[in-house]
Amino acid sequence: MAALAAFVWHASTPTFFDSENSPHRVYRLEFHKASILQRVFHHDYKMPYVVRLYRVDFKTLLGESSVVDLWLNGETYWYLDPPMDMKRVRVGRDVLFENVPSECTDPTRPPDCPHN
């Protein structure tokens, strides 16, 4: 029974693969390989992943994508600080996290942030 439970958990849980920090290290993107079950449902994807956005300070999860195909589609764009202050993080053309606070807002302004 325990082995079955372990198999079901393993088959349904994405596996951590890599992470990338924002330019001022306030946020982190984590890339998780899709679980076995997710790969079955998305069998036509060459690189099925789930992308999660965290705030680094308290490891607060700010958002999670659905399963996306990152094959030839994984470039990260951080639109958080002036002059591109769009409050967005984009991974390829399929993942978009919106309304992400700027890295350079007071009182936690990193020393290398541009001044407004």
Side-chain angles (χ1 to χ4, degrees):
M1 191 62 123
L4 178 63
F7 173 75
V8 169
W9 177 81
H10 176 71
S12 62
T13 304
T15 306
F16 177 79
F17 177 72
D18 197 12
S19 67
E20 180 179 332
N21 287 325
S22 62
H24 301 292
R25 301 195 186 313
V26 174
Y27 300 105
R28 180 178 59 253
L29 284 172
E30 289 188 354
F31 299 88
H32 296 260
K33 289 184 178 182
S35 70
I36 294 169
L37 292 175
Q38 290 168 325
R39 282 184 261 160
V40 168
F41 288 118
H42 300 281
H43 59 87
D44 54 331
Y45 289 5
K46 291 186 179 188
M47 290 179 59
Y49 279 81
V50 174
V51 182
R52 295 177 182 159
L53 177 65
Y54 288 93
R55 183 164 178 95
V56 172
D57 289 348
F58 304 107
K59 195 167 182 182
T60 306
L61 179 63
L62 300 176
E64 181 174 334
S65 73
S66 59
V67 178
V68 294
D69 190 1
L70 291 185
W71 186 69
L72 298 177
N73 184 27
E75 187 75 27
T76 302
Y77 302 95
W78 301 92
Y79 300 118
L80 300 175
D81 300 325
M84 295 293 291
D85 197 10
M86 297 166 51
K87 299 182 180 186
R88 294 181 182 160
V89 177
R90 178 176 285 286
V91 180
R93 65 182 176 276
D94 298 323
V95 178
L96 178 64
F97 298 106
E98 295 186 290
N99 300 319
V100 180
S102 171
E103 292 184 287
C104 296
T105 55
D106 289 338
T108 61
R109 179 185 296 266
D112 57 342
C113 278
H115 296 286
N116 295 342

